[in-house]
Amino acid sequence: MSAGLFITFEGGEGGGKSTQARILAERLRAADHEVVLTREPGGSPGAEALRNLLLEGDADRWSPLSETLLMYAARRDHLERTILPALTAGKVVVCDRFYDSTRAYQGAAGGVDPGVIAALEDAVVGRHAPDLTLVFDLPVETVLARAAERGAAEARFESKGRAFHERLRAAFLEIARREPARCVLIDADRPVEAMSDAIWTAVEASLSKAILR
Ligand code: TMP
């Protein structure tokens, strides 16, 4: 493979994205692909430093617009130093969250002008959009129940209310509906194995397309 494949995992909280990203990375390696497993915010030393600034502290530490700009500073560093070199080397990049999270969290749920976010996408990501995005969907009841089980109140983003999670869910569903060529919706209210099989089916289809291109 010459051009690599860029796969992102997206969705609200508590859907098991990180577990599934790890399972996918192992499965790809077992099939002899070179894989870079990474995450946002973060994924490069500079972006990990920004991650700490973004995820720690009170829920209102940053305004949604400041948060957007910090996410995009982290994203640019992550692209330049981790994602693009790996794709150029023909690797598969598996990324836990990417720009759809900014559209949903800061845009739809946080109220940042979608035009500002679209302009940042153009300037910062440009033609390096993901080849495949797995959008995890979970009823808000389940999101809240899982957060309570984990005692997740410490995380800034998880301490927001039900309405916030409802807006997030609607935003991710809308992204998947609008971009069917890139996005595959994953029902996250299922056992781990059923989810990883659905993900593998979607990834195999993308790998075949990448070989043909
Ligand atoms: P996670 O490690 O649980 O995915 O946490 C990252 C948090 O950051 C999560 O609550 C979503 C949030 N986030 C945004 O609000 N905007 C973004 O662009 C990204 C990448 C993450």
Side-chain angles (χ1 to χ4, degrees):
M1 211 194 307
S2 57
L5 191 72
F6 185 18
I7 303 171
T8 56
F9 282 62
E10 294 280 10
E13 313 286 324
K17 281 189 311 305
S18 308
T19 305
Q20 290 295 337
R22 273 197 303 276
I23 292 172
L24 174 62
E26 278 163 25
R27 210 157 171 175
L28 284 163
R29 285 182 186 125
D32 277 343
H33 292 280
E34 279 194 89
V35 179
V36 171
L37 175 60
T38 186
R39 68 171 178 184
E40 288 208 347
S44 63
E48 287 290 330
L50 287 167
R51 178 186 177 91
N52 293 333
L53 286 176
L54 277 159
L55 300 190
E56 285 166 6
D58 295 338
D60 60 356
R61 179 178 187 186
W62 305 107
S63 74
L65 181 57
S66 307
E67 222 164 59
T68 302
L69 297 170
L70 286 168
M71 290 291 178
Y72 263 94
R75 183 158 300 136
R76 185 63 207 180
D77 195 63
H78 185 209
L79 268 168
E80 285 175 5
R81 291 168 198 260
T82 304
I83 297 174
L84 297 181
L87 292 175
T88 305
K91 297 179 186 174
V92 181
V93 174
V94 176
C95 189
D96 186 354
R97 295 194 183 283
F98 194 63
Y99 65 7
D100 297 310
S101 285
T102 312
R103 292 187 196 174
Y105 281 77
Q106 283 69 46
V112 173
D113 178 352
V116 169
I117 293 178
L120 285 165
E121 279 182 18
D122 267 2
V124 173
V125 180
R127 62 192 173 84
H128 306 297
D131 298 295
L132 171 66
T133 297
L134 301 153
V135 179
F136 283 45
D137 183 53
L138 202 57
V140 171
E141 284 307 324
T142 316
V143 172
L144 296 174
R146 289 187 184 175
E149 266 169 41
R150 290 200 310 273
E154 83 285 354
R156 278 186 69 231
F157 287 90
E158 295 192 8
S159 63
K160 308 210 174 172
R162 172 184 300 264
F164 179 83
H165 291 288
E166 297 282 7
R167 280 200 293 274
L168 272 185
R169 184 182 191 202
F172 281 116
L173 286 172
E174 178 63 11
I175 290 168
R177 195 188 64 74
R178 280 187 167 192
E179 294 185 59
R182 171 171 70 90
C183 299
V184 173
L185 199 59
I186 300 291
D187 172 3
D189 208 0
R190 285 189 293 174
V192 169
E193 232 176 70
M195 282 167 67
S196 54
D197 286 347
I199 289 167
W200 188 245
T201 302
V203 169
E204 276 189 316
S206 278
L207 283 167
S208 319
K209 268 195 245 156
I211 287 165
L212 293 176
R213 90 188 157 201

